[in-house]
Amino acid sequence: SSDVRSSDLEAQAKSIALTDAGIQESSALGLQIKRDWDDGRLFYKVEFRAGGLEYEYEILASDEIGRAS
């Protein structure tokens, strides 16, 4: 269903953001993931804090992310 695909994409967006930041999920404080649309494109906004820094990512939900393993 689309809910399952959405949650898969959300999990992948979270993983991409945490990996890019070099942060373990257990160390990410205030982790928030929000779906949003901009110019007809779906993206996920991932925000968290770690090590005294604030991180904010906007990750486009694309077919490439959907196929990433």
Side-chain angles (χ1 to χ4, degrees):
S1 79
S2 63
D3 287 345
V4 171
R5 174 138 169 84
S6 176
S7 64
D8 287 347
L9 290 174
E10 184 175 302
Q12 289 178 34
K14 175 179 68 175
S15 177
I16 289 167
L18 291 170
T19 299
D20 184 75
I23 303 295
Q24 296 291 321
E25 185 172 354
S26 60
S27 299
L29 305 174
L31 179 63
Q32 295 182 33
I33 305 167
K34 300 175 187 171
R35 272 177 49 170
D36 205 352
W37 291 90
D38 188 23
D39 292 330
R41 297 183 304 172
L42 174 64
F43 69 92
Y44 290 88
K45 188 172 188 177
V46 183
E47 300 175 327
F48 56 91
R49 296 181 315 279
L53 298 174
E54 292 185 9
Y55 295 84
E56 182 177 308
Y57 288 85
E58 289 186 354
I59 300 172
L60 182 63
S62 66
D63 289 339
E64 289 75 25
I65 289 177
R67 285 194 296 265
S69 57

